Amino acid sequence: MNNDFLWQEDVDFCGIVIRFAIVKFDGTNEFGACVAQMFDDEFVMVDAAICNNFNSAKSFLLKNAIEGNLEKLKIIGNNLETL
């Protein structure tokens, strides 16, 4: 299996490296959207979805992974401000 990464972006949150990626599965019309975190020297998947098209994979990352985590970070920030 040699799936092609169509898009990926690594983000460093103060030493915690997160990879957002979209992959096209070989021999199918399906796409994978995944979020992985770097542990030691390799990425470990922490959230993923199989999608019917590229736009669905983008939507998964935008809604579930990116916006969801931004909301959590805002809550953490608000909690820290009240300390």
Side-chain angles (χ1 to χ4, degrees):
M1 182 178 274
N2 186 21
N3 300 319
D4 291 323
F5 279 92
L6 300 177
W7 174 84
Q8 70 180 29
E9 186 75 31
D10 295 345
V11 180
D12 186 336
F13 293 103
C14 299
I16 299 171
V17 180
I18 305 293
R19 173 172 287 170
F20 300 98
I22 297 175
V23 63
K24 171 79 167 83
F25 295 122
D26 288 344
T28 71
N29 290 326
E30 294 179 327
F31 295 80
C34 66
V35 180
Q37 182 176 347
M38 176 72 83
F39 290 100
D40 295 323
D41 290 335
E42 62 183 77
F43 283 98
V44 176
M45 193 175 317
V46 294
D47 197 4
I50 296 174
C51 305
N52 293 326
N53 57 52
F54 184 78
N55 286 335
S56 294
K58 282 191 330 186
S59 292
F60 171 82
L61 289 178
L62 288 170
K63 291 288 182 191
N64 297 335
I66 296 171
E67 287 181 14
N69 285 318
L70 283 175
E71 189 61 34
K72 290 176 189 173
L73 289 171
K74 287 178 186 176
I75 291 168
I76 291 168
N78 291 338
N79 289 340
L80 285 172
E81 287 177 359
T82 61
L83 292 178

